[in-house]
Amino acid sequence: MNALLLTAIFGVIMMFSSFLLQSKAAIRGLAITGLIIVVIANILEMSGTVFFKIDTKGMIGFDRFALLFNTIVFISTLIYFLLSARDMEKVGINYSEYFSLIFFVLCGITLSSSFRSLLMLFLGIEIISIPLYILTGSDKRNLKSNEASLKYFLLGAFSTGLMLMGIALIYGATGTFSTMVTAKQPPTSALYISGMLLLMFSMAFKVSAAPFHFWTPDVYDGAPTVFTSFMATIVKVGAFIAFIRLFGDEFGNLQSQWQLLIALITAITLFIGNITAVFQQSVKRMLAYSSISQAGFIMLSVFAMNQDAKEGLLLYTAAYCLATIGIFAVLIKLKDYSFDGFNAFAKQQPLLAAVTTIFLLSLAGIPLTAGFLSKFYMLKAAAATGKYLWLVIFAVLMAVVSVYYYFRVIQAMYFKDGDGQVIVVSTAFKLTLVLLAALIILLGIFPNLIINWLYF
């Protein structure tokens, strides 16, 4: 509850900060300070200190899993601010409003991680989505940004319609919006099953799982790169926590009926994301398809729905967000987003090339990085179900395919000739990236630094 209200409050504060603060550095400092307060307040709530005691009538509830997930998301967003907040200045003149919208998105993610009612699920998803439509089209001078925003809005509205229809059907079958009542003895009527399928398809759209992924490459490519970084990481995992909450609480006892369909969606997502990424000529667009393939791996947690899946989701959230935010932070500094734009990058910026390599190795799932163990946990969770072991084997094969397109960037940086792009970055930026790379390796060696917090 601490984080839910504080993110909303700071969202409002940032809306008016441009009237009170003339300096962009001061606005940026206020946003970072606000996020640090949110992180501290959320950690305090994990230890039992609640600032705001409100009777939610059982519609939301913060357990340790939700609080730990929110902490990882807030810390990842803080790192995103430290690395990329300055680059938001280049997008447009509404600098403070960008931070305000991001705080509102975090508010939606907090609500999505703790809902106990389908109404709260709807509110959480919409609070996440609506600010994103604005951020996607924030570069008004760029036609691609305007097109991406319109496409995202129209398709997002369509998926919201599916969600509302699914909620209406479930209410018609059960007479309640509560996810805890129907979880004990779920009905098996055609009305209820139809509602479940509509919610599944709607959530698959939100997390860009195939075959509902078609909006993702164009939207990620058209949006300002600094906001693509946020959308591809924080927002994606925020939708996944809602997905796993929904199918764990509301539809958990019907797992045998939807598990095969989730397995097929997972396999298609892994296949389309990885195979299509191989043929991309732009690193930014490759990362868009890469995010689809990563969504396929995270879908394994929805498929498994066991304790290993929860642990894997937490570790995957940290590993994926940190590595992708780091890569995008470097990509934003470059003018050429093609693979050739990375040629001989190691000669011009050896330190940046080294940390980028660590981020790419983590996304590829190479040992001693957090990405390796996060993929391992997901595969372990899926195998523990004892069903559809072909999915585990297929996921491993797709992970091998992903190594190819991630290593294309590493090959360009170290083994291809060229002048290399000349960029100027601050010492603080380099230091933050080095610490981020060290954290990814640390989590790859000691994953219990995150997982043990579930059981304290």
Side-chain angles (χ1 to χ4, degrees):
M1 187 60 70
N2 290 353
L4 180 65
L5 294 178
L6 283 174
T7 49
I9 290 169
F10 277 108
V12 175
I13 290 174
M14 293 309 301
M15 286 175 63
F16 296 98
S17 62
S18 58
F19 297 106
L20 305 173
L21 303 173
Q22 301 301 319
S23 168
K24 289 185 177 180
I27 293 173
R28 184 166 55 249
L30 177 62
I32 293 173
T33 302
L35 195 52
I36 291 173
I37 293 173
V38 171
V39 171
I40 294 172
N42 199 69
I43 293 174
L44 287 175
E45 187 168 356
M46 290 178 66
S47 62
T49 304
V50 181
F51 299 145
F52 310 97
K53 295 184 179 180
I54 301 173
D55 184 7
T56 62
K57 307 297 183 182
M59 298 181 78
I60 56 176
F62 292 89
D63 57 16
R64 194 163 190 84
F65 176 65
L67 292 172
L68 182 53
F69 176 86
N70 291 339
T71 301
I72 296 171
V73 165
F74 296 147
I75 292 175
S76 299
T77 308
L78 178 60
I79 294 171
Y80 166 74
F81 278 177
L82 293 174
L83 288 172
S84 303
R86 290 179 181 273
D87 296 295
M88 293 183 197
E89 297 179 19
K90 304 172 185 177
V91 176
I93 60 174
N94 306 304
Y95 191 50
S96 62
E97 283 82 353
Y98 301 149
F99 290 109
S100 176
L101 292 169
I102 289 173
F103 271 109
F104 287 135
V105 170
L106 293 178
C107 179
I109 291 174
T110 307
L111 192 58
S112 298
S113 69
S114 56
F115 71 90
R116 295 292 182 270
S117 165
L118 294 177
L119 290 179
M120 292 297 105
L121 167 66
F122 171 71
L123 287 177
I125 292 297
E126 288 308 292
I127 293 172
I128 293 173
S129 300
I130 293 173
L132 290 178
Y133 303 148
I134 303 170
L135 290 175
T136 302
S138 55
D139 188 0
K140 298 180 177 61
R141 299 158 296 183
N142 188 342
L143 288 177
K144 286 182 68 177
S145 177
N146 296 331
E147 178 190 349
S149 179
L150 180 61
K151 184 177 292 186
Y152 193 18
F153 170 72
L154 293 175
L155 294 175
F158 178 74
S159 73
T160 298
L162 291 180
M163 176 178 288
L164 284 174
M165 187 63 186
I167 291 174
L169 293 178
I170 288 174
Y171 181 79
T174 63
T176 179
F177 290 113
S178 173
T179 60
M180 308 310 292
V181 174
T182 52
K184 297 176 182 177
Q185 193 172 5
T188 55
S189 64
L191 202 62
Y192 188 81
I193 299 299
S194 299
M196 180 187 71
L197 291 176
L198 287 175
L199 280 172
M200 180 189 297
F201 298 152
S202 175
M203 292 307 302
F205 175 92
K206 299 299 182 184
V207 301
S208 63
F212 311 96
H213 69 287
F214 39 81
W215 61 274
T216 309
D218 291 338
V219 171
Y220 284 11
D221 193 31
T225 306
V226 67
F227 296 134
T228 302
S229 173
F230 181 71
M231 293 165 62
T233 54
I234 310 299
V235 174
K236 183 180 288 289
V237 297
F240 262 112
I241 187 67
F243 206 154
I244 198 169
R245 278 291 189 193
L246 177 64
F247 277 78
D249 293 344
E250 175 78 28
F251 308 124
N253 288 336
L254 297 177
Q255 187 175 12
S256 60
Q257 298 190 32
W258 52 256
Q259 199 170 31
L260 176 59
L261 185 55
I262 289 291
L264 293 174
I265 292 175
T266 302
I268 295 170
T269 304
L270 286 167
F271 181 79
I272 292 178
N274 283 292
I275 298 303
T276 316
V278 168
F279 299 100
Q280 301 307 308
Q281 300 304 314
S282 164
V283 174
K284 184 180 179 182
R285 201 167 179 87
M286 179 273 284
L287 289 173
Y289 281 103
S290 160
S291 76
I292 296 173
S293 70
Q294 299 290 347
F297 258 98
I298 307 177
M299 282 291 292
L300 290 173
S301 64
V302 182
F303 164 79
M305 205 61 71
N306 51 31
Q307 192 61 30
D308 286 333
K310 287 189 174 182
E311 294 177 359
L313 180 64
L314 292 172
L315 188 59
Y316 213 110
T317 296
Y320 172 66
C321 287
L322 296 179
T324 308
I325 287 171
I327 292 174
F328 271 104
V330 175
L331 189 65
I332 292 166
K333 304 295 183 183
L334 302 176
K335 295 180 181 178
D336 185 359
Y337 291 164
S338 68
F339 284 91
D340 291 338
F342 280 84
N343 287 354
F345 185 61
K347 294 180 181 178
Q348 289 286 348
Q349 294 287 349
L351 181 61
L352 293 186
V355 294
T356 302
T357 300
I358 293 174
F359 300 146
L360 290 165
L361 292 177
S362 182
L363 289 178
I366 302 302
L368 296 183
T369 64
F372 169 74
L373 279 180
S374 61
K375 282 183 167 60
F376 173 78
Y377 268 86
M378 289 301 184
L379 295 171
K380 178 185 175 185
T385 64
K387 296 182 178 180
Y388 312 123
L389 293 181
W390 59 265
L391 181 61
V392 178
I393 298 171
F394 185 74
V396 172
L397 293 176
M398 290 297 102
V400 173
V401 172
S402 72
V403 172
Y404 169 76
Y405 54 81
Y406 289 129
F407 271 66
R408 281 183 68 190
V409 182
I410 299 174
Q411 180 189 29
M413 289 192 297
Y414 285 97
F415 303 109
K416 290 202 172 179
D417 296 328
D419 297 329
Q421 296 192 56
V422 179
I423 60 174
V424 179
V425 295
S426 65
T427 303
F429 179 82
K430 291 181 179 179
L431 180 60
T432 306
L433 282 178
V434 170
L435 292 175
L436 184 58
L439 180 59
I440 287 174
I441 294 175
L442 186 65
L443 290 176
I445 301 174
F446 304 106
N448 288 336
L449 291 174
I450 288 179
I451 294 171
N452 283 349
W453 279 86
L454 261 179
Y455 309 107
F456 282 164

